[in-house]
């Protein structure tokens, strides 16, 4: 499902009205006709839809993901993913604990455009490098990052992460995928090259590295990098399933 299929950002258009539009064949902005006879779409709402489409087309041409992040209800942020898939930065952090005021970030991995980068504490994990990694992203994707990864980085490095953010934990719950990332991966068929390690294992590996074990760091980094790569598969799966559940294609088969 693409942004161009969506009318829900318009004032006066809720899920029910949007679905009615789709069912009448109005599945894209281009197919909207202000004269369309749809319950809930009177003259005022039709004018609002036209105004939204005019601005949204320009914003989409500019690649302005932040505009759509503000326009869409938070629960519908997943609809941005298809348009900004290639500019999405998947990232995940490892830490020495759960308290961002007391514990440290040890590694941060980023996956974007088929490339994976890992920053390591004491080497290249700095505020400047974090800003550089986020700079080219139109959309960020994490699992439970809104409550954990983002505030941890902002507190630890005094950075502001204001890029539109798709926390996959929430849309995953909408399609019945709940629990931690690893059980969800197993449920949708994502295989890992290495045996699963827990957050406690990640702390242990970092402590072993601090005592001189390069192998421990290699294992930790590999685990962290695999998390970010798998997030892309999770995003593809979750957004495809939501598309199937939410979007109503045109009666003649047109649409996304």
């Amino acid at each position: 499902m693409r942004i161009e299929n969506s009318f829900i950002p318009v004032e006066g258009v809720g899920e029910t009205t949007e679905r009615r539009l789709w069912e009448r064949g109005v599945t894209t902005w281009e197919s909207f006709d202000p004269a369309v006879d749809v319950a809930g779409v009177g003259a005022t709402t039709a004018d609002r839809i036209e105004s939204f489409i005019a601005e949204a087309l320009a914003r989409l041409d500019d690649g302005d993901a932040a505009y759509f992040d503000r326009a869409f209800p938070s629960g519908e942020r997943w609809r941005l993913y298809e348009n900004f898939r290639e500019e999405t930065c998947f990232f995940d952090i490892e830490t020495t604990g759960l308290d961002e005021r007391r514990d440290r970030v040890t590694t941060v991995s980023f996956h974007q455009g088929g490339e994976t980068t890992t920053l390591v504490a004491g080497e290249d994990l700095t505020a400047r490098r974090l800003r550089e990694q986020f700079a080219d992203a139109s959309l960020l994707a994490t699992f439970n990052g809104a409550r954990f990864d983002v505030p941890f980085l902002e507190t630890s490095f005094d950075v502001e992460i204001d890029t539109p953010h798709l926390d996959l934990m929430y849309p995953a719950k909408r399609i019945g995928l709940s629990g931690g990332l690893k059980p969800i991966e197993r449920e949708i068929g994502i295989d890992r090259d290495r045996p699963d390690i827990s957050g406690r294992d990640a702390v242990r590996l970092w402590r072993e590295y601090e005592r001189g074990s390069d192998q421990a760091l290699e294992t930790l980094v590999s685990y962290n990098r695999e998390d970010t790569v798998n997030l892309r598969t999770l995003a593809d799966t979750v957004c495809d399933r939501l598309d199937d559940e939410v979007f109503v294609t045109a009666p003649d088969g047109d649409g996304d």
Side-chain angles (χ1 to χ4, degrees):
M1 184 174 181
R2 300 180 63 83
I3 290 172
E4 301 95 316
N5 303 123
S6 301
F7 298 90
I8 203 168
V10 179
E11 181 184 354
V13 177
E15 294 179 9
T16 299
T17 300
E18 183 180 57
R19 178 170 289 270
R20 288 171 180 160
L21 284 162
W22 292 337
E23 289 172 345
R24 289 297 305 272
V26 185
T27 57
T28 64
W29 298 341
E30 184 179 32
S31 60
F32 178 72
D33 181 346
V36 66
D37 183 17
V38 174
V41 182
T44 299
T45 300
D47 286 344
R48 288 173 180 161
I49 292 174
E50 287 194 298
S51 296
F52 165 72
I53 291 172
E55 180 171 8
L57 283 169
R59 298 280 192 160
L60 196 55
D61 284 343
D62 290 339
D64 189 352
Y67 167 78
F68 296 103
D69 184 59
R70 295 188 300 268
F72 277 77
S74 60
E76 301 300 325
R77 191 170 287 133
W78 65 272
R79 300 191 193 194
L80 277 64
Y81 178 64
E82 182 61 32
N83 292 78
F84 296 102
R85 183 192 301 257
E86 296 309 314
E87 297 85 44
T88 297
C89 176
F90 304 88
F91 79 97
D92 180 72
I93 73 174
E94 299 300 335
T95 68
T96 59
L98 301 178
D99 187 342
E100 68 265 27
R101 295 172 299 277
R102 182 186 64 197
D103 297 308
R104 297 174 58 204
V105 180
T106 56
T107 64
V108 186
S109 288
F110 308 85
H111 182 71
Q112 182 176 351
E115 300 291 332
T116 307
T117 300
T118 301
L119 305 179
V120 179
E123 296 181 7
D124 51 7
L125 178 51
T126 64
R128 179 181 64 82
R129 289 298 306 276
L130 288 171
R131 292 189 187 99
E132 289 174 353
Q133 288 295 324
F134 290 132
D136 293 333
S138 296
L139 184 67
L140 305 179
T142 65
F143 188 89
N144 195 32
R147 296 192 304 184
F148 186 72
D149 302 67
V150 168
F152 223 113
L153 290 179
E154 290 185 328
T155 298
S156 299
F157 295 94
D158 192 25
V159 296
E160 182 180 3
I161 302 173
D162 55 7
T163 305
H165 179 194
L166 173 61
D167 188 333
L168 292 164
M169 183 174 72
Y170 300 103
K173 285 182 178 180
R174 284 185 59 177
I175 59 172
L177 296 173
S178 59
L181 179 59
K182 308 307 180 298
I184 289 175
E185 287 179 354
R186 290 192 291 269
E187 185 170 345
I188 65 176
I190 297 177
D191 295 322
R192 285 183 169 252
D193 293 333
R194 289 180 177 269
D196 185 22
I197 68 173
S198 66
R200 182 173 297 179
D201 292 327
V203 175
R204 173 183 56 78
L205 288 167
W206 181 255
R207 298 306 185 202
E208 290 177 5
Y209 164 65
E210 289 184 312
R211 292 193 294 269
S213 173
D214 289 338
Q215 180 62 46
L217 178 62
E218 180 183 330
T219 300
L220 178 62
V221 167
S222 175
Y223 167 77
N224 188 206
R225 290 169 70 88
E226 199 166 21
D227 273 351
T228 64
V229 173
N230 289 351
L231 282 175
R232 171 151 188 164
T233 304
L234 177 61
D236 290 345
T237 301
V238 167
C239 292
D240 283 348
R241 290 192 187 179
L242 279 170
D243 186 4
D244 290 340
E245 290 187 9
V246 172
F247 188 46
V248 178
T249 57
D252 61 1
D254 292 338
D256 189 49

